[in-house]
Amino acid sequence: MVELVIRGDRVVTPQGDGPADVAIAGGRIVAVAAPGSFPVPEGARLVDAMGKIVMPGGIDPHVHCLWHLPNPDGTAGLTEGPNRVSRAALHGGTTTMIDFVRWTHGSTIEGVIEKRRAEWTADGCHCDYAFHVMVEGDLPPDIPAQLGEAIRAGWPTVKIFTTDITPSRRGRMVDFGDIWEVFKVLAAARGLGVIHAEDNDIVMHMYAKLIREGRVGFENMAEVHNTLSEDLSFRRVIRLAEHVPGTALYMMHVSAANGVRAIREAQAKGLPIYGETLHQYLLYSSEDYRRPNGQIYHTYPSLKSKADQEELWAGTRDGAIGSVATDEICCSLAVKVQGRRIDDTTGGNAGVEPRLAVMYTEAVAKRGYPLRCFVDLVSTNAAKVMGLYPRKGAIAPGSDADITILDPALRRIVRAETLHETDYSPWEGREVAAWPCMTILRGKVVVEDGRFLGGAAPSGEWLPRRIPDEVLEGAAV
C-alpha cells in the first residue's frame, strides 16, 4: 500500500528532470507518474515539493569512519564513527556511504571483514553503507585468492596504494608485481580496482629534497604530491590494467590535470577506467594552504593549481570524472591542524554533510550544469560503477526510496556550528544556493526541515554488491 507520494515540478529521473509524482510503498518506489495522475490513498502522506528539486539520495563512495589516524608525536587515534558521520550525511542529503576494510599483515581478508562489520554494528550507522577491501604492503601469495572469494561474496572493490604517501607510513604501497596478481583476480572474479595512484619514487624523492632544503612547512605539499607523480602513476597503472584483459579501474581522488587526461585517453581507447575527484580539489588550490589553518583544505594527494582545477571541471563535463566524493575524515579542528609539516599533516576532510549543497551551487547555480549531470556526479554514477544501481542512485519504479529534496529557497552560509560533524568545516563562510529540506531513506523520512527523525537506533543496512558487466566493459557512465 502506498504510504508516501512526493509531488514536484523538478523531479530528476534517469530520463531527465520534470514534473512528476513519486509513489512509495514498502521502502521502494512503486510509480513515477504525471503530477496529479496518481491518486493519493487515504492515510498516505503527500509531500508538496513544487519549486524544489527531487533527486536520488546522494552516494559518497569514499569515506573513512573509525579510521586509524596517526599523530605527529607517534601516537594514533581513531576518527569519528559511522553513527555521527551518517547522521551528518543524512542531514546533507547523502543516503549511502562506502567506507573501507583495511587488511594488514597477519590477518585474513575474511577476518578483517568480520572485524570491520562488528565495529560498524557496535557504533551504528543511520544510512546505508558498503565497504571497499583495502590491501597494503607486500602481499602474501594467498591474499589474491582470498580477495577473489571476497569479490564473489559481495565485496567487489579492492583498494590499492601505489605509494606509501608519507615517509612515516612505509609499508602502505603495493608493488607492481603484486598489483599485477591482484588485477588477474579482479578480471577473473569480476571485481573493480579502486586506486590511490602516485609515483612513490617521485613522492619520496621530493620529501627528501624539501626536508634537506629546510622547506618542511605543509604549504609546500603540492611540490611533494605533484602533478608529475600523478601523471606517471596513472599511466603506469592503466597500462598494467590494459595488459590484463577484463581489468576495470576506478581512479580515486583525481587531483591533477594529468590524471584527468590519462583517464580520458584510456576511455577513448574503450578501456573501463573511471575517475573520481573530491569537491575540495574542484574548489580549493595549493594557494589555500597559506590561509589561516590551511591544513583544513588538505587531503592526500595535495591540492594543485587553478589550471588543474579547470581540467577537473572539464572532466566532470566530458565523463573523465564521473563522481565527486569527500575522502571523509571526521576529527576535531585541533587534530586536523596539529601537523604543520609536509610529512605529518592529517589527510581527509569533514565534508560529507555540505557536499550536495556545495556541488549544486558550483555545478548548477554557477556553471549551468543540467540537473541530471549534477545528480550523476553526486549519486547515480557512483551507484552504477560500484554495483548499487538501480537499487540506489535512481528515482525509478523498483529502486529503493532514497530521496533528497533540495530547496533553493534555503540559501545559507555554511557554518560549522550548524552542521552535525565536528567543530570546523573547510566550507566555512561559503554561500550555498540550496539545502536539503527532506531526506528519505528506504521510504522513511529521516530528516525534515533540519530535524533528525531517524530515531536513536541506527537503521542503516549493509549493501552486498556485484559489479555489472557494463561497468567492466567500460560502458557504465
Side-chain angles (χ1 to χ4, degrees), residues 265-282:
E265 290 167 20
Q267 291 175 342
K269 295 167 68 174
L271 298 176
I273 310 296
Y274 304 94
E276 166 203 284
T277 194
L278 311 177
H279 55 348
Q280 58 264 42
Y281 290 145
L282 289 166

Side-chain angles (χ1 to χ4, degrees), residues 80 84 88 328-336 349-351 353 415-426 428:
E80 292 293 340
R84 176 180 290 188
E328 169 75 19
I329 286 285
C330 186
C331 65
S332 68
L333 176 63
V335 170
K336 180 62 179 170
N349 271 222
E353 184 172 354
R415 301 294 184 198
E417 62 263 27
T418 65
L419 301 178
H420 302 83
E421 291 186 72
T422 185
D423 60 349
Y424 85 95
S425 173
E428 184 77 25

Side-chain angles (χ1 to χ4, degrees), residues 191-252:
L192 176 74
V194 295
I195 313 297
H196 178 131
E198 297 182 79
D199 186 273
N200 197 61
D201 288 345
I202 295 294
V203 169
M204 294 304 156
H205 169 77
M206 291 307 298
Y207 273 119
K209 177 180 172 67
L210 266 64
I211 290 171
R212 186 169 62 249
E213 295 173 354
R215 296 191 294 122
V216 297
F218 71 87
E219 65 274 9
N220 299 307
M221 195 73 77
E223 288 189 59
V224 179
H225 297 271
N226 55 45
T227 60
L228 174 61
S229 165
E230 187 157 313
D231 187 34
L232 294 175
S233 188
F234 271 51
R235 293 180 184 281
R236 191 179 186 204
V237 169
I238 291 170
R239 185 65 172 154
L240 180 62
E242 192 174 5
H243 277 273
V244 185
T247 302
L249 300 180
Y250 180 83
M251 308 303 288
M252 287 195 139

Side-chain angles (χ1 to χ4, degrees), residues 283 313 357-369 430:
L283 297 170
W313 278 110
V358 167
M359 284 306 299
Y360 171 83
T361 302
E362 296 295 331
V364 179
K366 293 186 178 180
R367 290 172 173 83
Y369 280 38
R430 184 175 290 265

